[in-house]
Each structure stands twice: as structure tokens, then as C-alpha cells.
Amino acid sequence: MFFNWETARGTPAEFSSPSFFQKMIQDESEFVSGELEGEVLWLLESGEKTVIRCRGDASFGQVMVYLPVSFQDCVLRPGDRVHFTGSFFLFEDADNPGVFDVREYYANLGYYLAMSADSAEVLSESRDFVRKTAFEITKGLSRSIDTFAEESDRGTFKGILLGNTRDTDESLKEDSMLLGLSYLISSSGFFVSLIGMTVYRLLRNKTGKESIAIILSLSLAALYTLICGFSASSVRALLILFVRVFASKMGRVFDLLSAAAFALILMLLERPTLLNLPAVQFYLAVIIGSGVIAPSVQGFLFYKKRYFTVFLYAVSMQISLLPMAVLSRYGYSLYTLPSGFILSSVRIFLWVLVLLGGGSGAVAGGFSQIPKFFFGAGHYVLEGEKGLITLLSKLPGAFILTGKPDTWRLIVYGAVVFGMILVYRLLFRMQKKRSEENEYKITNRDYLFSGAALAMTLVFGMFFLHAEPVQKGGAEITALSVGQGDCFLVRTDSGESLLIDCGSSTEKAILEETVLPALRYFGIKKVDAVVLSHADNDHISGILSLFSKTGSSGSGALLTDTLKTSALQPSAGSVFKDTVFLLSGNEAAQEAFLEAGLLTDEDSINVESDSAGSPAVLFVNAGEELSLSETTSLLVLSPDDFPYSDDNDLSLTFLLRFGGHSALFTGDISASTEEKLVQNGIGHADYLKVSHHGSKYASSEDFLAAVSPEIAVISVGKRNSYGHPHRETLARLKDCGAALFSTSESGAVTVRFYANGKVKIETGKR
């Protein structure tokens, strides 16, 4: 979605007036050459780039600068004032459902612009001794990891020790996300607390001078916060540590939840948009679970039973974390809490090994075997951690797909939880009054009642917080934004899902980066049918990526046993296993699929049922109608056996009927095929997939008059080399009275049809 420069807190006032930055958003400019002068806040090396957090003057605000690592003309340090030249660009926004919104993420952190720099000049060096010292320590530790640790471990070790998760092992990231253990990837906040409290207790016990212990512990914790790049989690931990040590100094009882809430409030006062970050939302959920829900139940029970307390806090945390999990991951894991307890202990041991390895390597240089010993031990611990996470991710219930629930479901769930808290508060008052009068004792029945109420609330949420199903007699059609190509996702009222084409000539990996996230967003575990209109690459490239290269010709083979798998859930393999592939029965169309590599040979293409590990490939012809459910059917309109001079006219054209509505999918047919369809008596369709990305050689006046669509959607890439959609086509579509949308302008377009005739339209860009 587009980011609103004027309403975001921290946006410079100059952005509220016309500027070339606003023009970048309005014109969707990719790059604008320019210069930036500002202060370096922090920097780190990631791959071939140096990532620099820079604070410019009032005209720029905070800017993320990317400078090639190979650029060695100057040495940059935090606090330096630097002049950069290069190209400004906007962070990528999410225009498809389920895709991570990079622009919104950085905007919440206060970064509205990025710059690809090609030169840098230091105007004045930093005089901040503390920041310079922290940076030199960071460089030394990073250099030590690069020198002595195994190459496969370096990125993960830097994430553990320095908070730099950019180069962390991707499979570890994915599996950790699956189990809800993303916080383990960078535990900088936890280790800030660990360092501070260890030093504080050690000095206080050894010297007996609490003031010295407070100063040194806070100083070391603050230094480590700087080393970790002043991340939100490390700052939060530093604030909690501050409260903790001064509570001890003042002789006050320290309450972790109160301190955590205090730290969160201070951070939100500084930047309220941090509340939009999933990590902060999870942190807030932890406070609610352990600081509100669990104490409410425990208050009713008056005193603790150890075995019940563990159950109480575990279920309370799951109740509060559940909505955050389904909002951020579109699913939840049954093993988040138990695996988190185990792996947190492992991560402490691993952090100590990496710290000792990095520290000894930075001090001793390349002549010592000591850092190799520590990093070697860390390697085996890390492999054990990866193995455990991988094992957990394969267990039943490791990830239960829900899709994104509607807002009303979240409100109802919140009301149920709030109601449960109120009931326990009321029961607490009643029990307290009875205990004062009659010395009322808590019985096992009370524990049973409390445990059952908690468990029922959690189970209710697990079953209730799911993506909204399609209403009876309706359907949902989503045109995914895949650049110059076609990819449509259809959900029916009986739960079936269809993928209509899946390809792009401008975007790579659309299956992994666009289709799979959308499936997770909608809660689709398996695609029931894939309809391929024709063999052009911009319609089938995503499907081709599913299959391995086989045979002497190197062509792709349509075989499910060669489906690629992915650590993400649902994986590509699970989504398309036992899927029916619908292709045109036209002989010329089949030959085109053979040449494209989608089908193997004439002996294996006519498979119409799942057998011998092969998917069902159903060839359909004009005039045939397939029943998809009680209310949904697919009527094939073309091509027939008539010879076609243009391969685009081989496109499988069909009418999708559901309830009282219909949607017409046209592939890339031209006006000549449209004329035949009109002659054959094609009638009205509520929804039209505009042919050939809005080409002027299609969507003729007679055709549009016959179809008279209410909604027309063009799947097309921005600034494509073909000039699609053509002005003539847009004018004809406007004249026919259709509500017109294009993926290049609106992002993904989702149209929901209801049985009562109501239609709801949502776009990826708002």
C-alpha cells in the first residue's frame, strides 16, 4: 500500500509541500538521481553492500543508504558527516496479499527513502568516542567471525552476537518463523539484559558497592546496545535493566511486567508507529498474557500450585499470542512455547561460545587457535539447534494454516478473552468475600474449572480465527500482480481453489514470492485445479518452475514426484500435489505446450487420472462444461478445431459460472476470436479478464457490447515494452461502462461476489 508521508510521525515538514519525493510516489518513479548530506547513524556490511542508516537534513529525514562494499575511497564511521551521490528510490510496497510490506516496515521505523549510492565523501569525522568505540568493537568481532568461523555459520553467528540478521541462514529463518520462534534469530535484547544483570550482581556481591555496580552494568549494557545497532529489542532491554537496578538501589520490589510495560510506553511515546511492527505486537501480547490473563486466574485461586502455575502461564501466553500469530504468519504452531523454552537455553550457550570466539579472535588476531575452538564448538551447537528446529517443523501441528482472519473475528475473540478476564475478576471478589467470612478453601474443582475455561478459550480461538470462507452461491477472484503476465486465483463457495495461469515475463520466482504467500493469506492448503490458457512464457513460467528438468531435450516434465519442495508452509509440493491441470484439447495448443516443456511426450500427455505418480491432465474442448461444485461450473468456449493463424488465439477461453454470477477468462485471444465468440452467441459476464494485457488488437467494441461486463481487470506490468494497456482499449472499456482495474495501477485486485448480488472489491494498493 502507499505510504502517507503527511500523516506519519517523524516525517519532515517539508514533505507536506510539493517535492520530487512526493512526485516519486505520485508518478511511481523507480529512481531519481540526487545528492544527500547527512550524519551516519550506523552501518554494517551485508553481502556486497554496506547498509548505512543516515540522518539527513530536514528535507530528507532518515535515509537508508546502500553503498558497494568494494567502494574503498573513504572509511565511514558512525557520527561522520558524509556527502553521498547516487539514486534515490522508494522501498518496495506490498501490492499482493500475504507479501511482506517493506515500505510500511521501514516507514514504521522512520525511514521513508532509500539511496543506491555510487560515491561517498567524508565532510567531517565523528567526535563521539562512545559510538566510534562501539563500532570498532563491532568491526573487530565481525572480522573475527569472518576469519575463524565456517562460512556457512558466519551469517547466523553475526545475527546472534551483533544483531545483524541480514545474512542469517534462510532455512533457519523460515523454520523459526514456522514455529513462531523468529525472536531467536536476533536475541540482542535478551543478551543486553544478560550482560547487564550478570555484571551488576557480580560487582555488587564482590565489592559491596552498589553505585559502582549500577554504573558499570548500565555502561556495558548500553555499549552492547550500540554494538547491536540500537535495535528496538536491545533498547527495550536496556530500559528494563535501568528500572531493575534502580529498584534494587531504592529498596523497591522489581516487577518485570511493570518494567516491560514502562519500557514499551517510553518507546511508543518516542515513535508510536513502532506498534505496527509484529515484534512489538508480540511483545505487547506477552505482557497481556503474563501480566493480565494469568494473574486474573491466579487471583481467583488465591495461591499457587506449581504444576498448575506452569499450565496457567503457558495457556495464557498462547491465548494472547494466537491473534498475533495468525495476523503475521497466517497460522500458528502448537510448539511455540515448549520449543521456545528449550531453544532459549541452547541459544544462551551458543551466544557465549560465539562471544568467546569473536572476542579471542579480535584480541589474538590470526595467530591463535582459541577462536577456532570456540567457533567449532558453536558450529556443532548451531547444527543441533537447526536439527531440533527442523524436526519440530515436521511434526504434526508444527504449523496450522488459518489464513488471515477478518477484523470482526479478531474483535469477537478479543471480546471473549476480555469477558473471561472480567468473570475471573468477579469470581475473585466473590471468593475473597467468602474466604473472609467462612474461611473458604480452594478445591480441585476450582482448578479444574479454571483450567477448562482457559483451554476452551484457546481452542475457540484456534477454530475461530480463520480466513473467511466464500459464502454459499458466491465466489472470490483475485488477479495477482505479477508484472507483465497473468495469474488469477479463484475460491469457490464449496472450498475449491483454481489457479488460472501463472507466469510473468518481467518478474522471477512469482510462484515462491507471490503465489505461495497469497495462498497462505487466503488459507488455501491445496490448489484443486490449474487452468493454463496457452503456452506463452508470461502465462506458464511459474508452473514451469515447479518441475525438474528431465529427458535428453531438457524439457520440463509434468510429474508430481519431481515437484520442488520448500520450507515455507504450504510448500510448493504440498500445494500442487494431486492437482488437476486443465489444458486445451486443441492439437496445435498441445504441441505448443510440448515445445514449452510443460508436457513430456505424446505417450504421457493424455493422462486423465492420478496414477504412477503423475498428475491428472485433463484436455478440454469448446462446448464442454465441467462441474466444479454444486454451484460452480466451467464452460469452455474456445479454441475449437478450426486452424488459427495466431498462437494467441489458441488461448483456452472459458466462462466460470457461480450462483447467479459469471466471469469470462480470455487468455490472449485477438479480435478475430472475439468475433467468433460473438457469432456463437456469447452473452453477459459480470467479470471480464481483459485479453492480452489490454492490447489494442483485442477487446473490440462488438465483443464488449455483447459481454457488457460490470467489472474488467487487466493484468499488466508497469512501463512494459509493449505499451500495454493501449489507449484505444482503455477508451473502449470505459465506453462499455465497466469498472476498470489494472494490476499495474491497483496491485492485486480481489473481487468477492455474494449470493445476494452484492460485490466487494479490494486492491493491493490503497
Side-chain angles (χ1 to χ4, degrees):
M1 65 182 70
F2 282 118
F3 177 72
N4 190 332
W5 295 72
E6 297 181 17
T7 59
R9 185 186 185 280
T11 305
E14 285 76 7
F15 284 142
S16 62
S17 60
S19 66
F20 78 92
F21 301 108
Q22 280 189 324
K23 194 172 187 302
M24 286 179 69
I25 292 181
Q26 294 167 358
D27 299 343
E28 296 186 355
S29 304
E30 288 188 335
F31 295 96
V32 173
S33 298
E35 301 179 359
L36 171 67
E37 182 179 322
E39 178 189 1
V40 175
L41 300 177
W42 198 252
L43 66 153
L44 58 88
E45 290 186 3
S46 176
E48 298 180 354
K49 296 286 186 181
T50 299
V51 183
I52 305 166
R53 303 208 304 259
C54 181
R55 180 169 55 214
D57 57 27
S59 299
F60 292 93
Q62 294 187 146
V63 181
M64 197 72 73
V65 180
Y66 300 89
L67 186 69
V69 171
S70 58
F71 184 80
Q72 299 291 345
D73 288 2
C74 65
V75 177
L76 303 181
R77 294 180 177 84
D80 289 350
R81 189 156 190 83
V82 184
H83 178 267
F84 297 100
T85 60
S87 298
F88 290 101
F89 63 93
L90 299 175
F91 291 108
E92 185 178 357
D93 61 341
D95 53 3
N96 281 298
V99 175
F100 180 68
D101 196 325
V102 180
R103 183 180 298 181
E104 187 175 50
Y105 171 79
Y106 279 109
N108 290 326
L109 292 173
Y111 292 88
Y112 312 108
L113 275 176
M115 182 187 211
S116 178
D118 47 40
S119 69
E121 178 186 359
V122 177
L123 302 178
S124 61
E125 293 187 0
S126 171
R127 296 183 179 180
D128 190 330
F129 174 77
V130 176
R131 274 202 294 174
K132 287 174 66 175
T133 301
F135 180 65
E136 292 302 326
I137 293 174
T138 303
K139 284 180 63 177
L141 293 173
S142 180
R143 191 182 304 115
S144 178
I145 292 173
D146 288 334
T147 302
F148 299 106
E150 292 193 21
E151 186 175 356
S152 60
D153 298 336
R154 292 170 188 170
T156 305
F157 283 173
K158 289 179 183 178
I160 293 170
L161 187 60
L162 307 176
N164 173 17
T165 62
R166 289 177 176 268
D167 301 321
T168 298
D169 182 82
E170 288 299 325
S171 62
L172 180 61
K173 280 185 180 180
E174 292 169 355
D175 288 341
S176 298
M177 179 194 73
L178 192 72
L179 294 167
L181 302 173
S182 299
Y183 62 90
L184 284 176
I185 300 301
S186 176
S187 307
S188 55
F190 176 75
F191 295 125
V192 165
S193 298
L194 181 65
I195 289 175
M197 286 309 302
T198 301
V199 172
Y200 170 71
R201 288 173 176 170
L202 183 64
L203 290 177
R204 185 187 62 180
N205 294 336
K206 294 294 183 181
T207 65
K209 297 181 179 179
E210 193 162 26
S211 297
I212 295 177
I214 290 175
I215 293 172
L216 289 179
S217 62
L218 288 177
S219 298
L220 283 175
L223 181 62
Y224 190 65
T225 301
L226 285 174
I227 290 173
C228 294
F230 220 65
S231 65
S233 62
S234 61
V235 172
R236 184 174 63 237
L238 183 62
L239 290 172
I240 293 174
L241 177 66
F242 177 85
V243 174
R244 187 166 192 167
V245 295
F246 272 95
S248 176
K249 175 68 174 177
M250 301 299 293
R252 302 280 181 166
V253 176
F254 172 74
D255 179 60
L256 178 59
L257 291 171
S258 299
F262 169 74
L264 182 60
I265 291 171
L266 285 183
M267 294 177 66
L268 292 178
L269 287 174
E270 170 64 22
R271 185 172 297 280
T273 53
L274 289 175
L275 191 58
N276 295 324
L277 298 178
V280 177
Q281 293 171 358
F282 271 89
Y283 183 71
L284 178 60
V286 169
I287 294 176
I288 293 173
S290 57
V292 179
I293 298 177
S296 297
V297 180
Q298 209 163 33
F300 159 66
L301 298 173
F302 279 88
Y303 69 96
K304 302 178 182 179
K305 280 190 176 182
R306 185 172 300 175
Y307 69 89
F308 186 80
T309 300
V310 173
F311 167 81
L312 168 64
Y313 276 85
V315 178
S316 298
M317 292 280 284
Q318 286 281 27
I319 289 173
S320 60
L321 288 172
L322 182 62
M324 304 305 171
V326 298
L327 279 175
S328 61
R329 304 196 307 273
Y330 312 126
Y332 59 87
S333 172
L334 298 179
Y335 311 125
T336 298
L337 287 180
S339 58
F341 288 134
I342 297 171
L343 291 169
S344 293
S345 301
V346 175
R347 184 50 65 98
I348 293 175
F349 183 47
L350 181 57
W351 177 79
V352 172
L353 290 173
V354 176
L355 176 63
L356 293 174
S360 60
V363 173
F367 301 101
S368 175
Q369 295 300 312
I370 297 177
K372 290 185 178 181
F373 169 79
F374 288 119
F375 285 135
H379 168 78
Y380 290 107
V381 174
L382 180 60
E383 289 300 311
E385 179 186 278
K386 289 180 180 179
L388 181 57
I389 291 177
T390 301
L391 175 64
L392 290 170
S393 66
K394 293 180 179 179
L395 293 176
F399 185 77
I400 299 174
L401 184 67
T402 63
K404 184 178 180 181
D406 284 354
T407 304
W408 73 269
R409 289 178 177 267
L410 294 167
I411 294 174
V412 170
Y413 177 74
V416 170
V417 174
F418 182 68
M420 180 191 68
I421 294 172
L422 289 181
V423 168
Y424 275 117
R425 294 285 185 181
L426 178 61
L427 289 174
F428 168 70
R429 292 184 179 181
M430 294 172 59
Q431 299 284 52
K432 187 176 181 180
K433 185 176 181 180
R434 290 178 182 177
S435 65
E436 291 174 351
E437 296 175 354
N438 305 315
E439 296 183 355
Y440 183 84
K441 295 183 179 180
I442 304 299
T443 66
N444 289 332
R445 185 180 61 181
D446 295 311
Y447 284 101
L448 182 62
F449 166 77
S450 300
L454 284 172
M456 288 175 63
T457 302
L458 179 59
V459 171
F460 166 75
M462 289 177 173
F463 282 95
F464 187 71
L465 294 179
H466 283 254
E468 190 74 8
V470 177
Q471 290 188 1
K472 191 70 175 177
E476 180 182 79
I477 304 173
T478 299
L480 295 173
S481 179
V482 293
Q484 188 68 5
D486 268 17
C487 188
F488 289 77
L489 182 63
V490 178
R491 290 201 300 158
T492 70
D493 60 352
S494 54
E496 286 89 4
S497 58
L498 289 79
L499 189 66
I500 302 171
D501 285 336
C502 180
S504 174
S505 60
T506 57
E507 303 294 329
K508 297 180 180 179
I510 66 167
L511 185 70
E512 295 80 5
E513 296 177 2
T514 301
V515 177
L516 290 183
L519 295 177
R520 289 195 297 275
Y521 180 90
F522 291 116
I524 298 174
K525 298 179 181 179
K526 187 179 84 71
V527 174
D528 296 287
V530 174
V531 185
L532 299 178
S533 63
H534 61 302
D536 281 1
N537 190 63
D538 62 337
H539 289 251
I540 67 170
S541 65
I543 296 300
L544 284 174
S545 69
L546 275 172
F547 309 109
S548 63
K549 302 299 180 180
T550 60
S552 57
S553 64
S555 61
L558 189 56
L559 299 171
T560 53
D561 57 3
T562 60
L563 285 177
K564 295 179 180 178
T565 58
S566 168
L568 296 175
Q569 292 290 327
S571 68
S574 65
V575 164
F576 290 96
K577 187 176 182 181
D578 303 326
T579 294
V580 177
F581 288 79
L582 299 180
L583 284 70
S584 171
N586 181 281
E587 185 177 345
Q590 293 182 32
E591 291 178 356
F593 281 117
L594 279 166
E595 292 178 4
L598 186 68
L599 302 175
T600 54
D601 52 46
E602 294 184 359
D603 294 328
S604 62
I605 60 175
N606 292 311
V607 180
E608 297 187 0
S609 62
D610 270 342
S611 61
S614 297
V617 181
L618 182 61
F619 296 100
V620 293
N621 299 286
E624 296 179 351
E625 185 167 7
L626 306 177
S627 178
L628 303 177
S629 69
E630 293 182 1
T631 59
T632 308
S633 65
L634 187 153
L635 175 62
V636 182
L637 303 177
S638 74
D640 51 25
D641 293 331
F642 185 83
Y644 293 86
S645 58
D646 189 342
D647 288 345
N648 285 328
D649 287 313
L650 294 172
S651 296
L652 185 66
T653 306
F654 60 93
L655 193 67
L656 193 68
R657 295 171 171 172
F658 42 92
H661 300 282
S662 59
L664 180 60
F665 291 88
T666 57
D668 281 351
I669 62 172
S670 67
S672 62
T673 298
E674 292 176 349
E675 184 179 354
K676 289 182 61 178
L677 293 174
V678 173
Q679 292 173 356
N680 291 338
I682 190 171
H684 167 72
D686 301 283
Y687 180 101
L688 173 65
K689 199 292 292 191
V690 177
S691 176
H692 205 176
H693 320 293
S695 168
K696 63 183 177 182
Y697 302 108
S699 303
S700 63
E701 290 182 3
D702 291 342
F703 176 76
L704 293 176
V707 177
S708 65
E710 297 175 7
I711 300 168
V713 177
I714 305 174
S715 182
V716 64
K718 300 176 185 176
R719 293 177 290 275
N720 61 84
S721 59
Y722 305 99
H724 294 158
H726 292 144
R727 294 180 180 177
E728 302 93 318
T729 304
L730 295 176
R732 292 195 293 267
L733 288 165
K734 182 179 179 180
D735 291 341
C736 81
L740 181 61
F741 298 88
S742 72
T743 56
S744 61
E745 298 293 332
S746 302
V749 181
T750 298
V751 181
R752 293 185 178 92
F753 294 92
Y754 298 90
N756 60 4
K758 180 183 175 182
V759 177
K760 183 179 180 181
I761 302 174
E762 294 182 358
T763 59
K765 293 181 179 177
R766 300 170 184 160

